[in-house]
């Protein structure tokens, strides 16, 4: 009885979240914005990747960031240096961003700026390998990061994020020579459950692989824009 009640509660929660995510997505589509939900375990390198991405792409694409952390504005402060709007959301006891929290961020963006001027909204989710993948926020693509220090087995043990990702960045590739890690095995484990995912090894430290990531961002942005244009025709 108790289990049935909990399962029903979980389904209702996810249903309500999906409704709100769809609403966020319709705002993004109306404004011509492409949104990425960037997820990983704590410390895999999400903010470091965003720093390199803002440094290289913010002249080409107009970018805003929604920065999710349980507490502190430390990551938001790191990104504000790049001169783009960064909306910080503290989730308190929650281990992920949900669609309602992101809706608050979107409305703040729309109050302070002309939302239709933006090309990309990059959402850095709370560091957690499980829950963020369960809660859509209205994104056009899910980007997962797994650092080489985490081990080849993690996609098999924590599958949801890797099954759902549109792009997987294998991060901190500069550290691979110092570890007992087989990077091709990480890719094989992920492709086995998600054959369509793009897998790009990168280092935010040396810059290796970043051009491939930027190209993926450009392609995904162009595809979303084409689809938004045909929807609003
Ligand atoms: N060697 C190396 N270190 C990296 C790289 N990317 C990030 N780091 C380091 O890894 C640590 C965590 O990086 P962050 O970018 O803060 O990771 P994060 O995923 O944003 O962390 P949370 O937001 O706390 O989940 C920092 O000390 C970074 O300097 C990389 O490509 N190579
Ligand atoms: Mg971070």
């Amino acid at each position: 009885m108790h289990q049935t009640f909990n399962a029903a509660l979980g389904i209702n929660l996810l249903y309500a979240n999906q409704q709100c995510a769809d609403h966020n997505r319709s705002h993004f589509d109306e404004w011509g914005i492409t949104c990425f939900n960037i997820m990983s375990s704590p410390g895999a390198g999400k903010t470091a990747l965003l720093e390199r991405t803002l440094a290289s792409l913010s002249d080409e694409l107009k970018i805003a960031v929604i920065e999710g952390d349980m507490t502190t504005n430390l990551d938001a402060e790191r990104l504000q240096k790049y001169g783009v709007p960064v909306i910080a959301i503290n989730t308190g006891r929650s281990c992920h961003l949900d669609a309602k929290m992101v809706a608050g961020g979107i409305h703040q963006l729309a109050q302070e700026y002309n939302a239709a001027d933006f090309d990309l909204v990059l959402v850095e989710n709370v560091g957690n390998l499980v829950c963020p993948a369960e809660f859509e926020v209205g994104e056009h693509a899910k980007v997962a990061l797994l650092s080489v220090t985490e081990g080849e087995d993690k996609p098999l043990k924590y599958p949801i994020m890797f099954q759902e990702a549109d792009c997987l960045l294998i991060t901190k590739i500069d550290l691979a020579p110092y570890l007992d890690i087989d990077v091709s095995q990480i890719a094989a484990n992920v492709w086995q459950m998600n054959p369509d995912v793009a897998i790009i090894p990168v280092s935010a430290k040396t810059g290796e692989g970043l051009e491939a990531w930027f190209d993926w961002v450009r392609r995904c942005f162009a595809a979303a824009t084409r689809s938004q244009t045909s929807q609003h025709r």
Side-chain angles (χ1 to χ4, degrees):
M1 172 70 180
H2 187 60
Q3 267 187 349
T4 314
F5 177 72
N6 280 343
L9 199 64
I11 289 166
N12 282 340
L13 193 73
L14 287 174
Y15 179 75
N17 186 74
Q18 190 59 50
Q19 302 273 91
C20 185
D22 292 346
H23 181 76
N24 292 347
R25 173 73 178 256
S26 65
H27 275 310
F28 287 136
D29 287 337
E30 174 196 332
W31 293 327
I33 288 174
T34 303
C35 175
F36 296 160
N37 188 359
I38 300 174
M39 301 176 280
S40 77
S41 54
K46 299 178 293 301
T47 311
L49 177 83
L50 286 177
E51 289 174 315
R52 296 294 295 241
T53 305
L54 296 179
S56 294
L57 290 186
S58 59
D59 285 343
E60 184 183 331
L61 295 168
K62 195 156 164 57
I63 303 175
V65 176
I66 295 180
E67 178 57 59
D69 264 310
M70 289 180 78
T71 63
T72 80
N73 285 336
L74 293 170
D75 284 2
E77 284 161 14
R78 279 167 66 185
L79 298 176
Q80 266 150 3
K81 295 178 192 137
Y82 295 87
V84 305
V86 180
I87 292 166
I89 299 177
N90 282 147
T91 61
R93 297 183 70 86
S94 175
C95 58
H96 58 274
L97 286 170
D98 64 26
K100 198 167 172 204
M101 295 175 197
V102 171
I106 296 171
H107 287 127
Q108 190 180 330
L109 186 74
Q111 267 171 3
E112 295 175 18
Y113 303 89
N114 181 8
D117 285 348
F118 289 94
D119 297 313
L120 283 185
V121 168
L122 303 177
V123 176
E124 179 178 343
N125 218 308
V126 178
N128 180 323
L129 205 47
V130 182
C131 304
E134 300 263 35
F135 288 80
E136 275 202 25
V137 298
E139 68 271 22
H140 296 83
K142 291 179 169 51
V143 178
L145 279 63
L146 181 75
S147 66
V148 292
T149 55
E150 292 172 72
E152 299 95 343
D153 57 348
K154 295 306 170 289
L156 302 175
K157 294 174 66 178
Y158 305 91
I160 298 171
M161 190 174 294
F162 302 96
Q163 285 164 344
E164 306 242 321
D166 298 287
C167 180
L168 170 69
L169 298 167
I170 301 176
T171 59
K172 309 192 189 183
I173 201 79
D174 57 289
L175 297 179
Y178 309 103
L179 302 165
D180 276 332
I181 183 88
D182 179 352
V183 173
S184 62
Q185 189 59 51
I186 300 178
N189 288 345
V190 175
W191 270 321
Q192 171 193 321
M193 57 180 115
N194 181 357
D196 296 327
V197 66
I199 301 186
I200 310 172
V202 295
S203 167
K205 189 177 169 76
T206 65
E208 184 181 348
L210 289 178
E211 273 309 323
W213 156 243
F214 299 151
D215 281 343
W216 187 88
V217 170
R218 291 183 186 105
R219 280 199 305 278
C220 195
F221 168 67
T225 304
R226 271 196 304 277
S227 143
Q228 286 160 345
T229 311
S230 65
Q231 268 174 49
H232 287 98
R233 212 172 260 154

